[in-house]
Amino acid sequence: MMGDAIKLLKEKVAGHIDARDTERATLLSWPTAKIEVDGDPHPYESASLVFADYLQEQEIEVTFDVLEPEPSVLKGKIIIPSSLQVGDRLLVSRMTGQRYYVLGKER
């Protein structure tokens, strides 16, 4: 009986988001972002979206001190691509007006 109660509780909380203002969406296009929020009749374009920094492509300037075969310094940039792909399920939060903040991806 206790096992049945635990199973029922797990089924009830499966897919639960622990925030009242957080919703789910699907990424329709990337990098020109377009999302479809669950339950909304129309998609939202990039002008209505703000993405968390860690979801976007990042460019990092680096300096390498090379010791062999002869000492020299190499400078450059490393580009870390965005982890977002079309079809990803997203967690979004409604901002003022008809804008959404994209918090992250669902697992």
Side-chain angles (χ1 to χ4, degrees), residues 23-30 32-46 48-49 51 85-94 98 100 102 104 106:
E23 302 174 56
R24 288 185 168 89
T26 302
L27 186 63
L28 300 177
S29 68
W30 185 256
T32 35
K34 186 185 219 180
I35 67 168
E36 183 175 66
V37 177
D38 294 359
D40 281 5
H42 54 82
Y44 293 88
E45 305 282 335
S46 58
S48 302
L49 305 172
F51 284 83
Q85 296 179 0
V86 172
D88 283 347
R89 294 289 290 158
L90 306 172
L91 297 175
V92 298
S93 181
R94 192 179 299 267
Q98 288 297 310
Y100 276 95
V102 181
E106 255 187 358

Side-chain angles (χ1 to χ4, degrees), residues 12-77:
K12 282 184 126 181
V13 298
H16 174 73
I17 301 174
D18 194 21
R20 288 185 354 192
D21 64 342
T22 305
E23 302 174 56
R24 288 185 168 89
T26 302
L27 186 63
L28 300 177
S29 68
W30 185 256
T32 35
K34 186 185 219 180
I35 67 168
E36 183 175 66
V37 177
D38 294 359
D40 281 5
H42 54 82
Y44 293 88
E45 305 282 335
S46 58
S48 302
L49 305 172
V50 177
F51 284 83
D53 286 340
Y54 80 95
L55 293 172
Q56 299 178 42
E57 180 178 281
Q58 297 178 27
E59 188 176 289
I60 302 168
E61 292 189 22
V62 293
T63 302
F64 295 100
D65 291 323
V66 180
L67 301 176
E68 294 180 18
E70 59 185 61
S72 61
V73 175
L74 299 174
K75 294 185 179 191
K77 295 180 182 179

